[in-house]
Amino acid sequence: MKKFLLVLAIGSFAACSGGSNTEAKADSAVKAVDSTVKAAADTVKAAVDSAKAKVDTAIKKVDSAVKK
């Protein structure tokens, strides 16, 4: 999340600074934010998948203990 905020801050600074090609700077900032958001989403998905696998393993252990 901190990286995302940093990218937004840098992007807003780049977009607000005086320059002749602000559209290219804005596009660059948007691409950076998009890639950061995608990376964050992938990280969250991996964490959720890992947690789900742990829960599934725990459920199997409980089920096998109950059957004994």
Side-chain angles (χ1 to χ4, degrees):
M1 189 66 176
K2 291 179 183 178
K3 291 180 183 178
F4 176 69
L5 294 175
L6 177 66
V7 169
L8 285 178
I10 292 171
S12 64
F13 178 78
C16 292
S17 67
S20 61
N21 195 357
T22 57
E23 187 174 328
K25 290 180 183 178
D27 288 343
S28 174
V30 168
K31 287 179 184 177
V33 170
D34 286 345
S35 65
T36 302
V37 169
K38 185 179 182 322
D42 291 344
T43 302
V44 169
K45 184 180 181 312
V48 167
D49 290 344
S50 174
K52 184 179 177 192
K54 288 179 183 178
V55 168
D56 290 345
T57 302
I59 289 172
K60 288 178 184 176
K61 286 182 181 179
V62 169
D63 286 346
S64 69
V66 169
K67 288 180 183 178
K68 289 182 179 181

